[in-house]
Amino acid sequence: MNIGYGIGAVVVVSVATLTIGTWGLRFSRTTSDFFVASRSVRPGLNAGAISGEYLSGASFLGVGALVLAFGGEMLWYPVGWTAGYLVLLVFVAAPLRRSGAYTLPDFAEARLASQRVRSLSSVLVVVIGWLYLLPQFQGAGTALRTVTGMSPWGGSLVVAAVVLANVLAGGMRSITFVQVFQYWLKLTALLVPLAFLVIVWLSDGGRSPAAADLVVDGLNGTDWANPLAIAGDHPLYTTYSLMLATFAGTMGLPHVVVRYYTNRDGRAARKTTLIVLVLLGLFYVLPPVYGALGRLYAPDLVGSGADNVVLELPQRMIGGVGGDLLTALLTAGAFAAFLATSSGLTIAVAGVLSQDVTSRRLDGVAAFRVAAVIAVLVPLAASFAARDVAVATVVGLAFAMAAATFAPLLVLGIWWRGLTAAGAASGMLVGGALTGFAVVDNLVSDRDAGWWASLIAQPAAWAVPTSVAVMVLVSRFTRPPSSSHVNRFLVRLHTPEGVALDRT
Amino acid sequence: MDAEPPPRVRVTGPHTERTRRGPRPSVASEIDAQSDLGAIYVSGLLRAQMRLALRTLLGLGLTIGILPLVFHLAPGLGKHHLLGMPVPWVVLAFACYPVLVLLAWRYVRAAERHEAEFVAVVERPGVERW
């Protein structure tokens, strides 16, 4: 393909992102603006921003690639990534907003009145944030190499630089506008090319990619379409463990939670989540179709570069200038996906770092800016050093870790009076250690068969219940903090804003 | 008899403390004061919301949560086609999302109704003190 189109798309998205970011800067002046957009973001905008930030490269490029290579089994990922917001809605959305805390460590400290739990939460936010940022930078490098011929580290560097410029310029407020823009860009960038591809497919006779006699890479269509057959020896365990990780993990992702403080009140937080479910549903029906078409038009990619199937289809099916233009649009969407998620994570990690580390020496905005630089540089350096791992694998592990640490903290902290600081800390330590072990084992060794491999690849099913059990048991055996503090806090979490409570 | 009429006497209602008292304390202030009354109101709301959350979660479990088991027990489902796709694909790639939105929409409506009822009780104006 013509490399000029790919470079053009990247430049346009970068310039648009920075322009909207700078435009937002006019409104963004105080530390409070930087952090939470002064809590004045409407639900429609906020939902767009949450979706824009949430839909990462793993969703934009990864789902299509996984569906092409592994088939029906991979459809559970987008379903789980969406359903996580329903669980977040019913347990966390409104109370979290009413807690008045900004970050997860803020919540932990406010609920449990413990500096230690706060520090532990800060460490976990940074670990989960970096675990999630690392594959974003790597994936961006790979994708940019495909369409622009840039070296992989060049692509990572470009994403990191644009993210940093944007975050430094405007903080959260300008990020809101940027991410709303990026959601709609991502949706358009998948939808428009897909419309053309489907027309071509229909005019070619509309053959089913799941036809039993269609064998690709030794796999017939029926087996490929089977939602339980291929990955691992224990598909039922793997699927349910993945479900638990994604359903519970979403609420514990630092870059998602941080956006809830920008809602006006608890009701707005619920409305935002409902709109997020609609926006994610609209988006997630699209990527699997690319994977399915890839089975017909790009079967040679299965063994090698399935990662590129979304970007390559327009040229294979349409070709010429039209194909190049559609690929440029897809490149723009993919680049927006990497940018949006990286920006959100950078804000979240920088928010925690600046509150707990850099603000000891610097004040307000300067502390946040220094923290943002640190938040980007560490995973960027790690992405140069680490070996190439699949984006979806590392993202999946980040979900499992969030599900085994912050999810129990939030749910028990919001709904159970009996949670104590010691209980929360031990539960998060155990959950973090178990999933952390799984992360390291996954990154270091390559197992493919047996129960052990399945257990390590999808740790949520055993790590999450263990963490919850430890939290409950230790809480039972330790003395709760002053019960009047807990009561007051729970009352504040669950009482609608219309009631004139003393909310200090 | 030329007696003078008795002097006029001003007649007033029975003298009580009542009028001098301030307005009845609101339930909100009872809640703030952590009185038993306030605790009853709040724990009632909390229980209602918790039951609603668990009901929604059960709904999620019975719709999407049960799918892996269904596909496991009925592997032949993949051979049936609907709209040109294997049935599991129709369900997983498309039908799941409207179900999630519907569950969320019903939850939001019910949760807001609980809160509106709570506000109505707590802010009820002009109730006489017993």
Side-chain angles (χ1 to χ4, degrees):
Chain A
M1 94 175 253
N2 189 338
I3 286 172
Y5 287 99
I7 295 176
V10 169
V11 169
V12 168
V13 172
S14 305
V15 170
T17 300
L18 290 174
T19 308
I20 302 175
T22 318
W23 173 62
L25 187 62
R26 290 190 308 169
F27 308 103
S28 177
R29 281 292 173 266
T30 64
T31 316
S32 168
D33 280 342
F34 264 69
F35 280 149
V36 290
S38 300
R39 301 202 158 152
S40 59
V41 184
R42 279 184 289 123
L45 277 181
N46 218 350
I50 291 178
S51 312
E53 158 168 52
Y54 187 64
L55 295 169
S56 66
S59 300
F60 195 92
L61 298 178
V63 171
L66 288 170
V67 165
L68 169 63
F70 301 107
E73 176 98 23
M74 296 300 135
L75 294 174
W76 298 105
Y77 276 96
V79 170
W81 287 332
T82 311
Y85 278 92
L86 181 64
V87 181
L88 188 152
L89 169 69
V90 302
F91 285 122
V92 174
L96 187 63
R97 171 60 192 88
R98 287 175 183 144
S99 76
Y102 163 53
T103 60
L104 283 162
D106 283 346
F107 173 84
E109 188 187 6
R111 168 66 176 79
L112 299 160
S114 157
Q115 202 58 43
R116 278 192 195 163
V117 180
R118 185 199 171 88
S119 309
L120 178 60
S121 307
S122 301
V123 171
L124 281 170
V125 164
V126 174
V127 169
I128 294 173
W130 281 346
L131 195 57
Y132 214 122
L133 269 170
L134 169 77
Q136 300 301 327
F137 290 145
Q138 280 190 329
T142 318
L144 285 190
R145 184 183 51 201
T146 309
V147 290
T148 66
M150 210 183 276
S151 70
W153 63 265
S156 310
L157 211 59
V158 168
V159 171
V162 178
V163 167
L164 201 56
N166 200 42
V167 172
L168 290 183
M172 182 73 114
R173 166 84 86 159
S174 67
I175 285 287
T176 303
F177 293 119
V178 170
Q179 290 184 334
V180 172
F181 160 71
Q182 281 169 340
Y183 170 78
W184 293 106
L185 174 62
K186 278 182 263 193
L187 188 69
T188 315
L190 272 190
L191 191 60
V192 172
L194 191 59
F196 287 102
L197 298 183
V198 167
I199 290 171
V200 171
W201 172 66
L202 287 175
S203 66
D204 284 353
R207 189 177 184 212
S208 168
D213 57 342
L214 181 67
V215 179
V216 172
D217 206 32
L219 196 65
N220 71 48
T222 315
D223 285 347
W224 171 80
N226 188 329
L228 278 181
I230 308 164
D233 295 342
H234 305 280
L236 207 55
Y237 166 83
T238 303
T239 307
Y240 272 114
S241 190
L242 172 72
M243 244 185 201
L244 183 60
T246 49
F247 284 20
T250 304
M251 73 174 73
L253 293 180
H255 66 304
V256 171
V257 160
V258 96
R259 283 230 63 105
Y260 273 82
Y261 308 98
T262 61
N263 284 301
R264 199 179 57 250
D265 55 23
R267 284 188 64 195
R270 283 200 198 107
K271 201 168 286 170
T272 298
T273 317
L274 179 60
I275 303 174
V276 166
L277 277 162
V278 175
L279 295 180
L280 292 185
L282 281 178
F283 180 88
Y284 275 132
V285 297
L286 305 176
V289 184
Y290 279 88
L293 288 176
R295 198 170 147 79
L296 294 170
Y297 291 93
D300 55 299
L301 290 180
V302 172
S304 51
D307 283 349
N308 299 328
V309 64
V310 173
L311 295 173
E312 291 226 356
L313 273 182
Q315 281 152 60
R316 301 213 176 196
M317 294 175 68
I318 296 168
V321 177
D324 276 352
L325 282 175
L326 293 179
T327 302
L329 185 56
L330 283 162
T331 307
F335 194 64
F338 288 118
L339 275 189
T341 305
S342 310
S343 303
L345 286 162
T346 302
I347 294 262
V349 172
V352 167
L353 281 179
S354 75
Q355 281 188 328
D356 290 335
V357 184
T358 52
S359 64
R360 289 186 193 153
R361 292 174 177 249
L362 303 160
D363 53 19
V365 173
F368 181 78
R369 288 183 164 154
V370 171
V373 174
I374 301 172
V376 168
L377 285 185
V378 172
L380 183 65
S383 81
F384 295 151
R387 75 187 182 92
D388 214 18
V389 278
V391 172
T393 309
V394 182
V395 166
L397 290 168
F399 268 88
M401 186 176 274
T405 53
F406 286 127
L409 171 76
L410 285 167
V411 174
L412 292 176
I414 288 171
W415 297 97
W416 186 45
R417 277 168 223 271
L419 182 70
T420 66
S426 15
M428 287 199 291
L429 273 178
V430 169
L434 291 177
T435 45
F437 166 74
V439 169
V440 172
D441 191 275
N442 267 301
L443 294 185
V444 181
S445 52
D446 196 15
R447 314 171 190 279
D448 7 88
W451 260 113
W452 183 244
S454 299
L455 289 173
I456 288 290
Q458 287 297 343
W462 46 273
V464 175
T466 311
S467 159
V468 172
V470 169
M471 255 188 215
V472 172
L473 283 177
V474 176
S475 292
R476 284 255 179 237
F477 288 107
T478 45
R479 210 153 38 89
S482 98
S483 74
S484 84
H485 165 79
V486 173
N487 283 340
R488 282 188 94 86
F489 193 70
L490 286 194
V491 163
R492 194 170 84 181
L493 294 190
H494 295 282
T495 313
E497 281 82 356
V499 179
L501 281 188
D502 171 19
R503 285 174 192 278
T504 50
Chain B
M1 253 172 52
D2 201 9
E4 290 258 319
R8 281 176 169 260
V9 175
R10 177 186 293 228
V11 177
T12 61
H15 209 75
T16 64
E17 285 289 303
R18 198 176 179 98
T19 46
R20 260 179 269 157
R21 254 219 221 110
R24 168 182 179 256
S26 71
V27 179
S29 64
E30 299 268 7
I31 294 171
D32 275 335
Q34 304 203 17
S35 67
D36 291 345
L37 183 65
I40 289 169
Y41 279 111
V42 171
S43 66
L45 175 69
L46 207 139
R47 263 203 309 277
Q49 298 288 49
M50 172 83 115
R51 268 201 304 271
L52 175 63
L54 293 176
R55 256 205 321 276
T56 311
L57 204 61
L58 185 71
L60 178 66
L62 290 179
T63 49
I64 290 165
I66 209 165
L67 287 177
L69 206 58
V70 170
F71 295 147
H72 180 70
L73 296 176
L77 224 51
K79 297 206 172 64
H80 295 276
H81 285 239
L82 189 72
L83 306 169
M85 280 177 282
V87 172
W89 271 70
V90 180
V91 174
L92 270 185
F94 300 98
C96 274
Y97 300 106
V99 171
L100 287 171
V101 171
L102 191 71
L103 283 169
W105 179 69
R106 286 178 55 103
Y107 168 83
V108 169
R109 261 193 354 166
E112 297 206 333
R113 201 174 55 236
H114 288 166
E115 288 185 351
E117 283 164 5
F118 178 79
V119 172
V121 170
V122 168
E123 310 262 282
R124 196 167 40 195
V127 182
E128 286 291 312
R129 192 163 177 87
W130 44 88

